[in-house]
Amino acid sequence: MDRLNINLINCFGIGEFKKEFDFANTNIYLIYAPNGTMKSSFARVFELISEKKEKEICDRVYYNRKTVYSITDNGSDIKPETIFVVNAEKKLDSSDKISSFIASKELKNRYDSIYIELDNAKKDFLKQLKKIAISTDCEEEFVKTFQENDKDDFFSCVSKIVNLLKESSEKFKFKFNDIFDKPGKVKDFLEKNKDLLQDYFLEYKKLLAESSFFKELSGNSFGTYQAEQLKKAVEDETFFSAGHKFLLNDEKNIKSSKDLVDLIKKEIDAIFESKKLQEIFNKIDKSLNANKELRVFKETIEKDKSLIPKLLNYDKFKKEVLISYFSQLKKETEQLNSMYQNKKKEIQKIIEEANKETETWKKITKTFNSRFYVPFKVDISNKEDVILKDKATANLVFNYKDGEEAFKTQTKDDLLKFLSKGEQRAYYILQMIFEVEARKYKNEETLIIFDDIADSFDYKNKYAIIEYIKDLKESNLFKIIVLTHNFDFYRTIGSRLYIKNYCFMATKDNNRKINLLEGCYFYDVFANVFIRKTEEQKKMEPKIFVSFIPFIRNLVEYTEGKNNQDYTKLTSCLHYKSDTKTMKAGEIISIIKSKIDRLKNIEIDFGKEKFIDFIFKTADGIYNEQNIDEIALENKIVLSIAIRLYADKFMIESLKINIEDLNDKKNQTSYLLGKYKNRFSDDSVLILEEVNLMTPENIHINAFMYEPLVDMSVLHLLNLYSNIKNLKK
């Protein structure tokens, strides 16, 4: 990405913008753009291209205007994935990016190969399990039933039950989901009819105890399941053919398999067809009939009423059923668990190694925590998953600390509720850093557009982001365009990153055409622009002379006070006083030379001219310039002073005020405007109010605080100058 060519026409607020950014000798450009010039529109175009939403690029108000956009990288259309737009308001979530740089590929591959082997073994096992359960989701049901925490998976749950499996266990003929349905409607029904189930269970137990065949004693029972097992054991007649027989406790002899089958059937029928038990069942059945969604469950218990007593403890019964399934695969379950235990040791070793390899993560968080002033520190709650598991995303947690209180862990959503605006922006900067570092780790060449990244930051955090941009500047992987309307941020980056030759100041003309002018004003304008320029030319330009006035007046105020005669004389240059119309430019030059030794030998050729005529002539010259320098501060200072003097003069003459009465008046223009508004209510009031709002900061400028004047468009001042000059009463 050596040459980035941009051509935008009617793209949001940009009427026209053409520029080639040559990255052959630099990988960063800085653009200062006053609010409303081009900054957000420029960034928005790139953002929509990066999101593959180019169709949304348009004029933001006048949809009939034809929109044209072309952004090429070395002659070819720029690829969306190579663009990353950052601003302090953009709510990035880069948790999925963190996994890309938090552990080595070699460890991840080792981890994946083990899990592939385990997963294949699990798939083979589940095929057999599903046939027994007659269910497609028995894995999920099994894990939900036996897991004790979120980290428990299928294998850890198998290890919990492996010692509970029996060679011979009760086999259930129903489909698992016919009783343990996923929506939980069976369980809800059982909860609502718990009393009926309890009655059924107690009556069933009572009938068992009264039976001469079945027994329920001291917690041990010989019931229908045990009888079925006994029946299966002798059904081939070999037991009886050998001369054996059963002697029951009522002295009855069982001499054949048929006798046993007939007896068991008779005893079971006697229990389940008992009048009282049947009455309770009918009540349950009636409740089921009222619910069409439980039809399958109803059919299941009608086929096997012995299930009903077990349903009193539904969750316990579910575990019993699942364990019975695994018991039928006891050998296979033990083999699977043995494999898992062996692989688990290998996995633990990999995790221990991986935890040592999180250097990039540690570096990022350490840099952020040390540079940025925020009341929280960031960590990952599922670091092992992010390190090793495929497609795992990071669960970021934030340890918040307020004053001397202990750190308190917060989620992202909770944290953002009570962070200040600046702290929230620092949080989004952290997300941006994760995104950038992920691209760095993957070696992805990227164009990064910073859109007012430090807006609303305090100075500590503002310098922190400058340091980070400086770090990125050292990488050839990134090409950077920094956009800002913060003049202090602009000149700090320009000087600290040594890129003054690659800095621009954006202007917009009346046709909405954007021009990038050479950047300037990185140091104080008084010494490093006005004085130096005058020394180099050995002559004082008219614009520079007028621009010296507010600075020298400011200097006299600091060193000698407001009662000094020179301060009073210079004030008459900025406000229309009794001596303003008579004093000569030479008087002001003498004051300037007396305060600045470096200017003592500077020549001038306009000393004899009246100051008031001279400044209006200079302002007229600026107004009539064909290709005015829209950035030059001297143009704006001259226009601002001339506008103020015209306004004061106009109001004094309109109000017929004795000018001598104004000599000691503070805030003279505001005072005059108040009186003028009380007497007049025409359109001139609007123009004079604009003068009062726009010019004070420009006139009372000092060597360090001149951002308002940089921000102001010279076109606005030219328009105001024309309006105030043409006011008539």
Side-chain angles (χ1 to χ4, degrees), residues 13 36 46 86 124 134 149 158 201 254 382 441 460 684:
F46 278 88
V86 186
D124 292 339
I134 320 175
N149 55 61
V158 167
F201 175 72
I254 302 297
N382 61 334
Y441 185 81
K460 187 177 188 298
S684 62

Short mmCIF file of all heavy atoms in Angstrom, two decimals, residues 13 36 46 86 124 134 149 158 201 254 382 441 460 684:
data_model
loop_
_atom_site.label_atom_id
_atom_site.label_comp_id
_atom_site.label_asym_id
_atom_site.label_seq_id
_atom_site.Cartn_x
_atom_site.Cartn_y
_atom_site.Cartn_z
N GLY A 13 -20.90 15.09 3.69
CA GLY A 13 -20.70 16.54 3.68
C GLY A 13 -19.60 17.00 2.75
O GLY A 13 -19.33 18.20 2.64
N GLY A 36 -17.11 20.15 10.98
CA GLY A 36 -17.95 20.48 9.84
C GLY A 36 -17.21 20.58 8.54
O GLY A 36 -17.81 20.88 7.50
N PHE A 46 -14.84 5.45 4.36
CA PHE A 46 -13.95 4.30 4.55
C PHE A 46 -14.61 3.23 5.39
O PHE A 46 -14.44 2.03 5.15
CB PHE A 46 -12.64 4.76 5.19
CG PHE A 46 -11.66 5.33 4.21
CD1 PHE A 46 -11.69 6.67 3.88
CD2 PHE A 46 -10.71 4.52 3.60
CE1 PHE A 46 -10.79 7.19 2.96
CE2 PHE A 46 -9.81 5.03 2.68
CZ PHE A 46 -9.85 6.37 2.36
N VAL A 86 -11.27 3.81 13.15
CA VAL A 86 -11.34 3.87 14.62
C VAL A 86 -11.79 5.25 15.05
O VAL A 86 -11.27 6.25 14.59
CB VAL A 86 -9.96 3.60 15.25
CG1 VAL A 86 -10.08 3.53 16.76
CG2 VAL A 86 -9.34 2.33 14.70
N ASP A 124 -18.54 -42.55 18.04
CA ASP A 124 -18.79 -44.00 17.93
C ASP A 124 -19.60 -44.50 19.11
O ASP A 124 -20.51 -45.33 18.96
CB ASP A 124 -17.46 -44.76 17.84
CG ASP A 124 -16.72 -44.48 16.52
OD1 ASP A 124 -17.39 -44.06 15.56
OD2 ASP A 124 -15.49 -44.67 16.48
N ILE A 134 -33.10 -44.69 22.24
CA ILE A 134 -34.04 -44.34 21.17
C ILE A 134 -34.24 -42.81 21.20
O ILE A 134 -35.36 -42.29 21.26
CB ILE A 134 -35.40 -45.08 21.31
CG1 ILE A 134 -35.19 -46.52 21.76
CG2 ILE A 134 -36.15 -45.04 19.99
CD1 ILE A 134 -36.47 -47.27 22.03
N ASN A 149 -20.90 -27.95 37.07
CA ASN A 149 -20.55 -26.56 36.77
C ASN A 149 -20.40 -26.42 35.26
O ASN A 149 -20.49 -27.40 34.50
CB ASN A 149 -19.25 -26.15 37.48
CG ASN A 149 -18.10 -27.09 37.16
OD1 ASN A 149 -17.71 -27.23 36.01
ND2 ASN A 149 -17.57 -27.76 38.19
N VAL A 158 -19.00 -38.53 32.20
CA VAL A 158 -18.80 -39.98 32.12
C VAL A 158 -17.95 -40.47 33.28
O VAL A 158 -18.23 -41.49 33.90
CB VAL A 158 -18.16 -40.37 30.77
CG1 VAL A 158 -17.66 -41.83 30.81
CG2 VAL A 158 -19.15 -40.19 29.63
N PHE A 201 -48.03 -43.80 44.94
CA PHE A 201 -46.80 -44.43 45.44
C PHE A 201 -47.05 -45.14 46.77
O PHE A 201 -46.62 -46.29 46.98
CB PHE A 201 -45.71 -43.36 45.59
CG PHE A 201 -44.45 -43.87 46.22
CD1 PHE A 201 -43.59 -44.71 45.52
CD2 PHE A 201 -44.11 -43.51 47.52
CE1 PHE A 201 -42.42 -45.17 46.10
CE2 PHE A 201 -42.95 -43.99 48.11
CZ PHE A 201 -42.10 -44.81 47.40
N ILE A 254 -42.83 -74.03 42.63
CA ILE A 254 -42.77 -73.63 41.22
C ILE A 254 -41.82 -74.60 40.53
O ILE A 254 -40.62 -74.62 40.80
CB ILE A 254 -42.28 -72.18 41.06
CG1 ILE A 254 -43.19 -71.21 41.83
CG2 ILE A 254 -42.21 -71.80 39.58
CD1 ILE A 254 -44.59 -71.17 41.33
N ASN A 382 -12.10 -16.97 30.69
CA ASN A 382 -11.99 -18.30 30.07
C ASN A 382 -10.71 -18.40 29.25
O ASN A 382 -10.73 -18.79 28.08
CB ASN A 382 -13.21 -18.59 29.20
CG ASN A 382 -13.35 -17.58 28.05
OD1 ASN A 382 -12.89 -16.45 28.15
ND2 ASN A 382 -13.98 -18.01 26.97
N TYR A 441 -0.57 -9.60 14.50
CA TYR A 441 -0.20 -10.99 14.71
C TYR A 441 -0.39 -11.81 13.43
O TYR A 441 0.42 -12.68 13.10
CB TYR A 441 -1.03 -11.59 15.84
CG TYR A 441 -0.64 -13.00 16.23
CD1 TYR A 441 0.44 -13.23 17.08
CD2 TYR A 441 -1.34 -14.09 15.74
CE1 TYR A 441 0.80 -14.51 17.43
CE2 TYR A 441 -0.98 -15.38 16.08
CZ TYR A 441 0.09 -15.59 16.94
OH TYR A 441 0.44 -16.87 17.27
N LYS A 460 -3.72 12.97 30.29
CA LYS A 460 -2.96 11.74 30.47
C LYS A 460 -3.35 10.70 29.43
O LYS A 460 -2.51 10.08 28.79
CB LYS A 460 -3.16 11.18 31.88
CG LYS A 460 -2.25 9.98 32.19
CD LYS A 460 -2.45 9.51 33.62
CE LYS A 460 -1.42 8.46 33.99
NZ LYS A 460 -1.51 7.25 33.16
N SER A 684 -29.46 45.00 11.60
CA SER A 684 -28.10 45.33 12.03
C SER A 684 -27.78 44.70 13.38
O SER A 684 -26.62 44.38 13.68
CB SER A 684 -27.92 46.85 12.10
OG SER A 684 -28.81 47.41 13.07
#
